[in-house]
Structures are given as structure tokens and as C-alpha cells.
Amino acid sequence: MSVTTPAGFEAAGVAVGLKSTGARDVAVVVNRGPLKVGAAVFTSNRAKANPILWSEQVVKDGVVEAVVLNSGGANCFTGSFGFQTTHQTAERAAELLGVGAGDVVVCSTGLIGTGDEAFRAKVLDGVDKGVASLSTEGGEDASLAIMTTDSRPKRAAHAGAGWSIGGMAKGAGMLAPGLATMLVVLTTDVVLDAGEADAALRAATRTSFDRLDSDGCMSTNDQVTLMVSGASGIRVDADEFATALAGVCDDLAAQLQGDAEGASHDITIRVTNAATEDDAVEVGRSVARNNLFKAAIFGNDPNWGRVLAAIGTTDAAFDPYDVDVWMNGVRVCTAGGPDRPREDVDLTPRATDLVIDLRVGEATATIRTNDLTHDYVHENSAYSS
Amino acid sequence: MSVTTPAGFEAAGVAVGLKSTGARDVAVVVNRGPLKVGAAVFTSNRAKANPILWSEQVVKDGVVEAVVLNSGGANCFTGSFGFQTTHQTAERAAELLGVGAGDVVVCSTGLIGTGDEAFRAKVLDGVDKGVASLSTEGGEDASLAIMTTDSRPKRAAHAGAGWSIGGMAKGAGMLAPGLATMLVVLTTDVVLDAGEADAALRAATRTSFDRLDSDGCMSTNDQVTLMVSGASGIRVDADEFATALAGVCDDLAAQLQGDAEGASHDITIRVTNAATEDDAVEVGRSVARNNLFKAAIFGNDPNWGRVLAAIGTTDAAFDPYDVDVWMNGVRVCTAGGPDRPREDVDLTPRATDLVIDLRVGEATATIRTNDLTHDYVHENSAYSS
């Protein structure tokens, strides 16, 4: 269950010293075809890392031959030297693979401002070793090589009738809208053209990674890349493929949420009966980014007042005095006042279910987030990322 | 140095059992005139507490006779019973003072959803005792009565030539834009009409309380009230008064920042050379709300990459690759790359100075915030507010 689950893909994960621990730190994923279709979505942050600036150009023609990913340095705000590093990474991989450099996507993750000559030498070494180690069994190694503060690798797959989708992800903090410090590679052996791949990828990320908002912070390096080999020779109904791809993305998003830095609760915020889906997303996100609410959940305190205070900052259509709030199945607030007592709510499980019923329409959205904990503060004050 | 510093004001702070500690918990501030001019600004949160709903109506005619404030309960989302409590509070004070209830502002702070019969009885008892204790020396007691998690009272004053301004504030968390869990009462004995008072108050809060963004969370109960007695008989130049009032507000805002829940750094974010003041505020606020940056400062880590990642999420006019970032006097980032080494930055002092030079225009704004600490998480997970 990895990026090498679908036919037509090879991958590798190697160690070249970017991580001080000696763990794997460069991954290569190659599409052996026959199709070389690719699509990608990127961070919406205007502060873009060099690999983003490069890869945005690569995917424009809908062709992606390979993805090179490194941990141990974000290569962001490292000047023209840093951009040249990304360029050389793609050129080295292209030369070894016998493809064009303009079809090689590059992804980096780590500390912003890191990308000196030693970094470049190690990444290029990683390309050499990675290409030399490529294998149809290499998906698991690749998923290990992209980990940073992740406590475990994230992999997912979908098995269709004679076709499949595989995926890997990394990310344990800065999970936010418009994607966020996540690197994701998705592979499939179905037959798709570039337009279909792009549409399916955008639809799948919109309701999964885009709605994972661990701490409201948006990264400079996020990228989700889909590569299509067509090696199964099977054309799949567009809706069926879109649903399957969304399922794989949702699975990976849940794994990212479950491994968010320092979190002790995985909070699912379901906003129901909104006037529009955009309203539902805005309301859910306002709660996902409310430090006071998130600290209360860490303290197992069903503090619904902080939910109302958060959603009151939005422009969504609703009457603050006609909203129902449910926590773990208990309605704690209705019609602008308290309902069942706080003591009825058991917040000890890690999985936390918050429902906000806006009572104005029929639209719904789900936002995933985490609580705000001592460990979150510790990890993000002690670890430079 | 308090709300009773200017001539024409009396105040009191009494204990009626709203606080379990037995500390003072109801404050009354009365304007003895001859003018009874008042102005106020309120939270921009759509989820408004009952005292906000009431007081918004009170100040519409520019007349305020008195302000009653209680800690120990926000009286927010407490239904129609809660609104009646606020109404009865104003009526009781009005009856005892011989004024109209429609000229009595009410402010509450504490846990949302708290406002039962016992709460009402205590607040009304507080009005009785408060009015009975009114004195021209009562400003300090009043400032004690409005404290919640504040570790110390906040008071400020400005002495003009024969006139003065006094003020008190409470607030130690949820300090955010459009004001935030703060209750502030300002008094002055200059001669002003209602329009002048309103204009001066809005101008003063816009650059002080509105730019204090401790944790990005906006309260349901915030209110800043200015009362004008005219007792000095002196008319002051509008600019001179506006500057003096802004100075008192800035002093109180700095005290609120310095006492923010659990903070170990007071961070002053100065955005310079922006295209517009709005751009400067947006950029500053994006950093003030970035948990990763705030956790880094707690860890004394001059992580400028997180500053760039934060400002990259804004729509302000600037080129992310042509921005300078200074921390405590050291330029750590210039032109999209690292400048002086991180080791040169000393972040051990509590006062932290961040300068973001956007290099596109001439506008400037300063946003105050705090770091994200273990104590913040502890206080907000263990204390229901």
C-alpha cells in the first residue's frame, strides 16, 4: 500500500545525511508509463519555496516523469543559489532517467532559509543513490524518506477492478488551508488525460487536505502531485475515479491529523444546515483556528461559549441566537443559551466530534483540526522548522 | 491615577460573592457632570453578550450617566433571562442615582453561559453596595473589581493644564482586533460634545486596543466607554485631546499586553514602508496570529522563516523576495534570503521588537502581541472563560 502499488511506478528512499539521525531523507518516484500524465496543487502562500516556483512550471504541460523529494531543508528563501539547487536536482534526475528536466517535479521540506552548498551536494547525492535504488517495491522506503517530525509514515491505497491508486504523505504541523506543510505524492495506473487528472486532483484536495487546519499556519512548500501511468490500460468512470481519489486523500488527511505535532485530540468539526458550502467552511475554520477553544478541548472542557465567540467573527449567514452546538453527541447550546450540562460531555477520547447546526440552509462541510497542547508549544518552540 | 482622577466622577468597587475568592467584583463609575456626555466602542463579534446589546442602545444618544461593571460572569448566551438581568442592573442603578435607566451602561466579564438567578441577585446587590460606596477616591477600588485572570489592575491618566483624563482596563486574554476581552472605562473633565467624544474615542482605540492582538480570539463582551463630565470648564484643542486620549489608551493597551495570560514575551511588530496603513495592519496581524512564530519566540528562536510564511498569506502589496526582517535590531532576512546569523539575535528580554520592512511605500503600523507559551495553554485549558 504505497505509491508503487499501481502498475508503472518505481520508487526509492535513501539516506544521504540531510537528517542528522542518518535516516532516509531523499525520495524518488518515477512514472514508467506508458502515460506520463501529471497534475499538482501547490500552497497558496505567496511566499513560495524554490521547489514550488520550479514545479509550478513543470506541471503546466500536464506531463510529469518523476518526483524528487527531500527532507532536511526547505530550500525556501535561499536566493538564486537555492533556485539553482532545485534546477540542478531536476537536471540530475532527468539525465539519469533519460527524460527532460522540465518534466521532473522537486519537493523539499525542512527549515526555511536552509539550502547551502552542503545541502545541494547531499540532495544531488540523493538523486544519484535514489535513481540507482529504484524498484517497484520502493514505495515504503520513499514514504520514510519524506518524514520530518512525523512519528510514522503515511501511506494509503485504493484497489479498483484491475486498477489502483497509491499515495504517501508527510506532514505533522503547519497543516492549514490551501494545503500546508504537507508533501503528497499520488499515483494511479488508470488511463486519464491531463485535464481529467487535474480536475480529479483539485476536487479531491478541496475536501480533504484543504479542510485540514491543524494550527492555521500555511507553509511555503506544500505540494500534492498526482502521476498517471495508464499501465492498467483501464479507463474508469470519471465519478468513480474522483470518489476513489478523494477517499485516498481523505485517508491521508486523517493520518496527518492523527499525527499532528503534540496533539491529544483529533477534532472533527461538522457544520450543518449552512446557507452555502463556503459559509460552512468559513464557520468551521473559525473554530479550528480559535486557540481558546482548542486549549479548552485539551483540558477536556466542553466550552461551547468559545465556539460561539469564534463563529461570531465570520460573515456567514446565521443568527448567533439560533445555533445548536453538539459535542460528542450532547447538545450543549441551543437558541443562544445553555442546553445539557457540561458534565454530560465526555471529552476523554482522542476523537472529538463537534457539530455546529446553523439552522439556515442545507449545506454542510467538515473541517479537521487538533487541540492546542503543551506538546505543541514545546515542539514548535524547540524545533526550528 | 484612575477613573476618578478627572473632576466630576465618583466610583466604587465592592465584593458581593461573584468571585469565589471574596475579592471585589462589582464596579460603579458615575459622572456627576455638569456634562453627561458619553461614547463607546464595542466588540465587532456578532455573538454579542447581553450587556453589549443593552449598552449599544444606551450610548446612541451620546448621554451616559454611569457604568456598572461586573466580573464573575459574562451574561452572554443566557437567554432572555440574561437580558432582563442586564436591564434590571441598569434600572436599579438608575433608580438609586436618580437618572434614567437608558443612560446607564452595563459591562460584564467572565464565563459565557453564566447568568442564573444567583448571578442576578449578586449583581443587583453589587449595584446597591456600589452606589452606597461611591466616592471621588473610588477609582482604584473600581479597577480591582473588574479584574478576572488579570494579575494586576490597569490604570492610566493624563494631566493637562487644568484638565485630565483617567482610565482603567481589565483583560488578560482574548485580546484581539475589534477590541477583545477587555473592559475599559475612560473619564475626562474637559468640555466636549457627543460627536467630539465619539470621534476622539474611535481614533484612540483604532491605534491602541484594536492593534493589540494577543491570541487572535475576539470576545463577546468587549467595551470601551468614555464619559465626559466637563467639570474643568476647559475646552481643549481637538488634536491635543485626541493625542492625550490616544496616549492613555496606548498606556492601558501596553499594560494589557504585559499581563496577557501566560506570556513570556511582549512582541511589538512594526510594519514599515507599506503601500497603505491597512496593508501594514494586515501584515502585522498575520504574524501576531501565527502560532508557529509565537511558539518560536517563546523558545527564543529568531525563526524569520515563519514571519515570511505568515505574511505570504496576506493580500498586502509587497514582493516576498524583497522584504527585510529585523529582530531586536538585527537584520536576519533581506531580499528573500538569510542575512545576519540567528545567533546574533538575543531574544531573552521580555520586550521583543520585530520590524518588517515591506519596501514598497511609506505607511506604517504597529501591532502588539505575545508569545505562545506553556502557561497560555495551561491557563486556557484549566480555566473556563
Side-chain angles (χ1 to χ4, degrees), chain B residues 294-328:
Chain B
K294 290 152 71 95
I297 296 299
F298 168 56
N300 294 336
D301 171 13
N303 196 319
W304 56 267
R306 293 177 180 175
V307 174
L308 270 294
I311 72 176
T313 65
T314 71
D315 293 321
F318 66 88
D319 174 358
Y321 284 86
D322 188 21
V323 168
D324 288 349
V325 178
W326 301 69
M327 286 191 186
N328 284 355

mmCIF file of all heavy atoms in Angstrom, chain B residues 294-328:
data_model
loop_
_atom_site.group_PDB
_atom_site.id
_atom_site.type_symbol
_atom_site.label_atom_id
_atom_site.label_comp_id
_atom_site.label_asym_id
_atom_site.label_seq_id
_atom_site.Cartn_x
_atom_site.Cartn_y
_atom_site.Cartn_z
ATOM 1 N N LYS B 294 4.888 32.500 17.152
ATOM 2 C CA LYS B 294 4.757 32.844 18.560
ATOM 3 C C LYS B 294 5.396 31.779 19.461
ATOM 4 O O LYS B 294 5.958 32.091 20.515
ATOM 5 C CB LYS B 294 3.281 33.051 18.901
ATOM 6 C CG LYS B 294 2.735 34.341 18.246
ATOM 7 C CD LYS B 294 1.262 34.270 17.954
ATOM 8 C CE LYS B 294 0.441 34.319 19.189
ATOM 9 N NZ LYS B 294 -0.026 35.673 19.530
ATOM 10 N N ALA B 295 5.312 30.523 19.036
ATOM 11 C CA ALA B 295 5.967 29.458 19.804
ATOM 12 C C ALA B 295 7.490 29.575 19.669
ATOM 13 O O ALA B 295 8.229 29.325 20.627
ATOM 14 C CB ALA B 295 5.492 28.084 19.322
ATOM 15 N N ALA B 296 7.953 29.970 18.482
ATOM 16 C CA ALA B 296 9.399 30.138 18.291
ATOM 17 C C ALA B 296 9.941 31.227 19.206
ATOM 18 O O ALA B 296 11.015 31.072 19.801
ATOM 19 C CB ALA B 296 9.707 30.477 16.824
ATOM 20 N N ILE B 297 9.202 32.336 19.317
ATOM 21 C CA ILE B 297 9.666 33.422 20.189
ATOM 22 C C ILE B 297 9.714 32.944 21.640
ATOM 23 O O ILE B 297 10.647 33.253 22.383
ATOM 24 C CB ILE B 297 8.766 34.666 20.044
ATOM 25 C CG1 ILE B 297 8.855 35.228 18.621
ATOM 26 C CG2 ILE B 297 9.153 35.738 21.074
ATOM 27 C CD1 ILE B 297 10.241 35.680 18.194
ATOM 28 N N PHE B 298 8.718 32.165 22.040
ATOM 29 C CA PHE B 298 8.762 31.573 23.383
ATOM 30 C C PHE B 298 10.069 30.791 23.568
ATOM 31 O O PHE B 298 10.687 30.831 24.634
ATOM 32 C CB PHE B 298 7.546 30.658 23.578
ATOM 33 C CG PHE B 298 7.618 29.777 24.793
ATOM 34 C CD1 PHE B 298 7.801 30.320 26.058
ATOM 35 C CD2 PHE B 298 7.485 28.399 24.685
ATOM 36 C CE1 PHE B 298 7.866 29.511 27.181
ATOM 37 C CE2 PHE B 298 7.544 27.581 25.803
ATOM 38 C CZ PHE B 298 7.738 28.141 27.047
ATOM 39 N N GLY B 299 10.493 30.089 22.510
ATOM 40 C CA GLY B 299 11.727 29.302 22.577
ATOM 41 C C GLY B 299 12.973 30.111 22.277
ATOM 42 O O GLY B 299 14.054 29.545 22.084
ATOM 43 N N ASN B 300 12.838 31.470 22.243
ATOM 44 C CA ASN B 300 13.975 32.362 21.956
ATOM 45 C C ASN B 300 14.656 32.016 20.631
ATOM 46 O O ASN B 300 15.868 32.129 20.488
ATOM 47 C CB ASN B 300 15.013 32.332 23.097
ATOM 48 C CG ASN B 300 14.452 32.913 24.376
ATOM 49 O OD1 ASN B 300 13.519 33.713 24.350
ATOM 50 N ND2 ASN B 300 15.019 32.510 25.508
ATOM 51 N N ASP B 301 13.835 31.601 19.658
ATOM 52 C CA ASP B 301 14.336 31.188 18.352
ATOM 53 C C ASP B 301 13.950 32.257 17.328
ATOM 54 O O ASP B 301 12.780 32.450 17.029
ATOM 55 C CB ASP B 301 13.704 29.835 17.995
ATOM 56 C CG ASP B 301 13.987 29.399 16.563
ATOM 57 O OD1 ASP B 301 14.865 29.992 15.917
ATOM 58 O OD2 ASP B 301 13.323 28.442 16.106
ATOM 59 N N PRO B 302 14.937 32.979 16.762
ATOM 60 C CA PRO B 302 14.638 34.048 15.794
ATOM 61 C C PRO B 302 14.270 33.478 14.424
ATOM 62 O O PRO B 302 14.976 33.683 13.445
ATOM 63 C CB PRO B 302 15.937 34.845 15.746
ATOM 64 C CG PRO B 302 16.998 33.840 16.060
ATOM 65 C CD PRO B 302 16.379 32.845 17.020
ATOM 66 N N ASN B 303 13.154 32.753 14.380
ATOM 67 C CA ASN B 303 12.765 31.977 13.205
ATOM 68 C C ASN B 303 12.067 32.879 12.184
ATOM 69 O O ASN B 303 10.837 32.891 12.069
ATOM 70 C CB ASN B 303 11.836 30.849 13.669
ATOM 71 C CG ASN B 303 11.675 29.776 12.625
ATOM 72 O OD1 ASN B 303 11.557 30.075 11.454
ATOM 73 N ND2 ASN B 303 11.667 28.529 13.056
ATOM 74 N N TRP B 304 12.852 33.609 11.401
ATOM 75 C CA TRP B 304 12.284 34.576 10.452
ATOM 76 C C TRP B 304 11.533 33.891 9.325
ATOM 77 O O TRP B 304 10.684 34.511 8.672
ATOM 78 C CB TRP B 304 13.360 35.510 9.908
ATOM 79 C CG TRP B 304 14.506 34.802 9.254
ATOM 80 C CD1 TRP B 304 15.675 34.429 9.845
ATOM 81 C CD2 TRP B 304 14.596 34.358 7.892
ATOM 82 N NE1 TRP B 304 16.484 33.792 8.943
ATOM 83 C CE2 TRP B 304 15.845 33.729 7.739
ATOM 84 C CE3 TRP B 304 13.748 34.428 6.804
ATOM 85 C CZ2 TRP B 304 16.262 33.167 6.530
ATOM 86 C CZ3 TRP B 304 14.155 33.869 5.592
ATOM 87 C CH2 TRP B 304 15.397 33.255 5.463
ATOM 88 N N GLY B 305 11.830 32.628 9.055
ATOM 89 C CA GLY B 305 11.089 31.905 8.017
ATOM 90 C C GLY B 305 9.605 31.872 8.317
ATOM 91 O O GLY B 305 8.763 31.949 7.414
ATOM 92 N N ARG B 306 9.265 31.760 9.609
ATOM 93 C CA ARG B 306 7.856 31.745 9.974
ATOM 94 C C ARG B 306 7.203 33.114 9.781
ATOM 95 O O ARG B 306 6.002 33.200 9.578
ATOM 96 C CB ARG B 306 7.704 31.250 11.420
ATOM 97 C CG ARG B 306 8.101 29.777 11.560
ATOM 98 C CD ARG B 306 8.039 29.262 12.986
ATOM 99 N NE ARG B 306 8.428 27.845 13.027
ATOM 100 C CZ ARG B 306 8.559 27.134 14.142
ATOM 101 N NH1 ARG B 306 8.319 27.691 15.314
ATOM 102 N NH2 ARG B 306 8.910 25.861 14.088
ATOM 103 N N VAL B 307 8.009 34.177 9.854
ATOM 104 C CA VAL B 307 7.482 35.513 9.569
ATOM 105 C C VAL B 307 7.117 35.596 8.087
ATOM 106 O O VAL B 307 6.023 36.030 7.713
ATOM 107 C CB VAL B 307 8.518 36.609 9.927
ATOM 108 C CG1 VAL B 307 8.026 37.980 9.499
ATOM 109 C CG2 VAL B 307 8.821 36.574 11.424
ATOM 110 N N LEU B 308 8.026 35.166 7.233
ATOM 111 C CA LEU B 308 7.753 35.197 5.792
ATOM 112 C C LEU B 308 6.555 34.318 5.446
ATOM 113 O O LEU B 308 5.707 34.696 4.630
ATOM 114 C CB LEU B 308 8.980 34.732 5.008
ATOM 115 C CG LEU B 308 10.013 35.780 4.586
ATOM 116 C CD1 LEU B 308 9.427 36.740 3.575
ATOM 117 C CD2 LEU B 308 10.610 36.533 5.746
ATOM 118 N N ALA B 309 6.493 33.142 6.046
ATOM 119 C CA ALA B 309 5.374 32.235 5.764
ATOM 120 C C ALA B 309 4.051 32.861 6.198
ATOM 121 O O ALA B 309 3.015 32.653 5.568
ATOM 122 C CB ALA B 309 5.590 30.893 6.470
ATOM 123 N N ALA B 310 4.079 33.635 7.284
ATOM 124 C CA ALA B 310 2.853 34.275 7.765
ATOM 125 C C ALA B 310 2.429 35.410 6.845
ATOM 126 O O ALA B 310 1.267 35.487 6.421
ATOM 127 C CB ALA B 310 3.058 34.808 9.187
ATOM 128 N N ILE B 311 3.349 36.287 6.486
ATOM 129 C CA ILE B 311 2.957 37.452 5.688
ATOM 130 C C ILE B 311 2.606 37.049 4.264
ATOM 131 O O ILE B 311 1.867 37.750 3.587
ATOM 132 C CB ILE B 311 4.016 38.578 5.723
ATOM 133 C CG1 ILE B 311 5.265 38.220 4.926
ATOM 134 C CG2 ILE B 311 4.396 38.902 7.164
ATOM 135 C CD1 ILE B 311 6.285 39.349 4.869
ATOM 136 N N GLY B 312 3.101 35.901 3.827
ATOM 137 C CA GLY B 312 2.781 35.408 2.488
ATOM 138 C C GLY B 312 1.315 35.023 2.330
ATOM 139 O O GLY B 312 0.843 34.833 1.208
ATOM 140 N N THR B 313 0.600 34.922 3.436
ATOM 141 C CA THR B 313 -0.827 34.573 3.356
ATOM 142 C C THR B 313 -1.697 35.816 3.173
ATOM 143 O O THR B 313 -2.908 35.694 3.027
ATOM 144 C CB THR B 313 -1.286 33.858 4.628
ATOM 145 O OG1 THR B 313 -1.195 34.765 5.736
ATOM 146 C CG2 THR B 313 -0.443 32.629 4.911
ATOM 147 N N THR B 314 -1.111 37.015 3.191
ATOM 148 C CA THR B 314 -1.906 38.243 3.105
ATOM 149 C C THR B 314 -2.046 38.709 1.655
ATOM 150 O O THR B 314 -1.365 38.208 0.762
ATOM 151 C CB THR B 314 -1.247 39.386 3.903
ATOM 152 O OG1 THR B 314 -0.058 39.805 3.209
ATOM 153 C CG2 THR B 314 -0.874 38.950 5.309
ATOM 154 N N ASP B 315 -2.932 39.683 1.477
ATOM 155 C CA ASP B 315 -3.108 40.286 0.157
ATOM 156 C C ASP B 315 -2.359 41.610 0.043
ATOM 157 O O ASP B 315 -2.523 42.328 -0.949
ATOM 158 C CB ASP B 315 -4.601 40.546 -0.101
ATOM 159 C CG ASP B 315 -5.377 39.251 -0.220
ATOM 160 O OD1 ASP B 315 -4.839 38.298 -0.823
ATOM 161 O OD2 ASP B 315 -6.510 39.185 0.286
ATOM 162 N N ALA B 316 -1.563 41.959 1.025
ATOM 163 C CA ALA B 316 -0.883 43.257 1.019
ATOM 164 C C ALA B 316 0.099 43.350 -0.147
ATOM 165 O O ALA B 316 0.620 42.338 -0.622
ATOM 166 C CB ALA B 316 -0.131 43.451 2.343
ATOM 167 N N ALA B 317 0.352 44.581 -0.577
ATOM 168 C CA ALA B 317 1.277 44.802 -1.692
ATOM 169 C C ALA B 317 2.711 44.693 -1.205
ATOM 170 O O ALA B 317 3.162 45.502 -0.402
ATOM 171 C CB ALA B 317 1.035 46.181 -2.295
ATOM 172 N N PHE B 318 3.419 43.677 -1.639
ATOM 173 C CA PHE B 318 4.872 43.562 -1.419
ATOM 174 C C PHE B 318 5.369 42.351 -2.188
ATOM 175 O O PHE B 318 4.585 41.490 -2.590
ATOM 176 C CB PHE B 318 5.229 43.427 0.074
ATOM 177 C CG PHE B 318 4.746 42.158 0.709
ATOM 178 C CD1 PHE B 318 5.508 41.003 0.684
ATOM 179 C CD2 PHE B 318 3.511 42.115 1.343
ATOM 180 C CE1 PHE B 318 5.054 39.823 1.264
ATOM 181 C CE2 PHE B 318 3.048 40.955 1.920
ATOM 182 C CZ PHE B 318 3.820 39.803 1.880
ATOM 183 N N ASP B 319 6.675 42.301 -2.382
ATOM 184 C CA ASP B 319 7.303 41.166 -3.041
ATOM 185 C C ASP B 319 7.976 40.323 -1.961
ATOM 186 O O ASP B 319 8.901 40.800 -1.300
ATOM 187 C CB ASP B 319 8.348 41.692 -4.042
ATOM 188 C CG ASP B 319 9.153 40.570 -4.676
ATOM 189 O OD1 ASP B 319 8.948 39.392 -4.331
ATOM 190 O OD2 ASP B 319 10.019 40.901 -5.522
ATOM 191 N N PRO B 320 7.524 39.075 -1.757
ATOM 192 C CA PRO B 320 8.120 38.251 -0.692
ATOM 193 C C PRO B 320 9.635 38.108 -0.832
ATOM 194 O O PRO B 320 10.309 37.829 0.153
ATOM 195 C CB PRO B 320 7.433 36.896 -0.872
ATOM 196 C CG PRO B 320 6.163 37.176 -1.607
ATOM 197 C CD PRO B 320 6.431 38.376 -2.465
ATOM 198 N N TYR B 321 10.134 38.334 -2.036
ATOM 199 C CA TYR B 321 11.579 38.219 -2.235
ATOM 200 C C TYR B 321 12.287 39.561 -2.104
ATOM 201 O O TYR B 321 13.450 39.691 -2.474
ATOM 202 C CB TYR B 321 11.878 37.541 -3.581
ATOM 203 C CG TYR B 321 11.630 36.054 -3.482
ATOM 204 C CD1 TYR B 321 10.362 35.523 -3.701
ATOM 205 C CD2 TYR B 321 12.651 35.192 -3.093
ATOM 206 C CE1 TYR B 321 10.120 34.173 -3.561
ATOM 207 C CE2 TYR B 321 12.431 33.840 -2.952
ATOM 208 C CZ TYR B 321 11.166 33.332 -3.190
ATOM 209 O OH TYR B 321 10.944 31.989 -3.038
ATOM 210 N N ASP B 322 11.576 40.575 -1.619
ATOM 211 C CA ASP B 322 12.221 41.871 -1.385
ATOM 212 C C ASP B 322 11.692 42.480 -0.083
ATOM 213 O O ASP B 322 11.146 43.580 -0.066
ATOM 214 C CB ASP B 322 11.990 42.816 -2.571
ATOM 215 C CG ASP B 322 12.822 44.098 -2.440
ATOM 216 O OD1 ASP B 322 13.829 44.079 -1.691
ATOM 217 O OD2 ASP B 322 12.447 45.104 -3.050
ATOM 218 N N VAL B 323 11.841 41.723 0.980
ATOM 219 C CA VAL B 323 11.377 42.150 2.296
ATOM 220 C C VAL B 323 12.543 42.017 3.273
ATOM 221 O O VAL B 323 13.291 41.041 3.204
ATOM 222 C CB VAL B 323 10.194 41.258 2.759
ATOM 223 C CG1 VAL B 323 9.885 41.480 4.232
ATOM 224 C CG2 VAL B 323 8.958 41.513 1.901
ATOM 225 N N ASP B 324 12.688 43.013 4.155
ATOM 226 C CA ASP B 324 13.695 42.912 5.209
ATOM 227 C C ASP B 324 13.008 42.585 6.533
ATOM 228 O O ASP B 324 11.957 43.158 6.840
ATOM 229 C CB ASP B 324 14.447 44.234 5.391
ATOM 230 C CG ASP B 324 15.400 44.521 4.237
ATOM 231 O OD1 ASP B 324 15.623 43.612 3.410
ATOM 232 O OD2 ASP B 324 15.907 45.653 4.178
ATOM 233 N N VAL B 325 13.590 41.697 7.319
ATOM 234 C CA VAL B 325 13.061 41.360 8.642
ATOM 235 C C VAL B 325 14.156 41.610 9.678
ATOM 236 O O VAL B 325 15.279 41.128 9.527
ATOM 237 C CB VAL B 325 12.601 39.888 8.704
ATOM 238 C CG1 VAL B 325 12.103 39.543 10.101
ATOM 239 C CG2 VAL B 325 11.516 39.621 7.660
ATOM 240 N N TRP B 326 13.787 42.396 10.688
ATOM 241 C CA TRP B 326 14.714 42.700 11.790
ATOM 242 C C TRP B 326 14.146 42.134 13.083
ATOM 243 O O TRP B 326 12.947 42.253 13.343
ATOM 244 C CB TRP B 326 14.864 44.204 11.968
ATOM 245 C CG TRP B 326 15.370 44.965 10.783
ATOM 246 C CD1 TRP B 326 14.717 45.198 9.596
ATOM 247 C CD2 TRP B 326 16.640 45.631 10.661
ATOM 248 N NE1 TRP B 326 15.491 45.956 8.761
ATOM 249 C CE2 TRP B 326 16.676 46.250 9.382
ATOM 250 C CE3 TRP B 326 17.732 45.768 11.513
ATOM 251 C CZ2 TRP B 326 17.777 46.990 8.939
ATOM 252 C CZ3 TRP B 326 18.825 46.508 11.073
ATOM 253 C CH2 TRP B 326 18.845 47.092 9.807
ATOM 254 N N MET B 327 14.983 41.512 13.891
ATOM 255 C CA MET B 327 14.569 41.076 15.222
ATOM 256 C C MET B 327 15.521 41.664 16.247
ATOM 257 O O MET B 327 16.732 41.443 16.165
ATOM 258 C CB MET B 327 14.595 39.553 15.325
ATOM 259 C CG MET B 327 13.449 38.883 14.583
ATOM 260 S SD MET B 327 13.363 37.140 15.004
ATOM 261 C CE MET B 327 12.076 36.628 13.865
ATOM 262 N N ASN B 328 14.941 42.409 17.178
ATOM 263 C CA ASN B 328 15.729 43.062 18.222
ATOM 264 C C ASN B 328 16.972 43.746 17.646
ATOM 265 O O ASN B 328 18.085 43.615 18.169
ATOM 266 C CB ASN B 328 16.101 42.072 19.326
ATOM 267 C CG ASN B 328 14.904 41.789 20.236
ATOM 268 O OD1 ASN B 328 13.843 42.403 20.092
ATOM 269 N ND2 ASN B 328 15.070 40.876 21.179
#
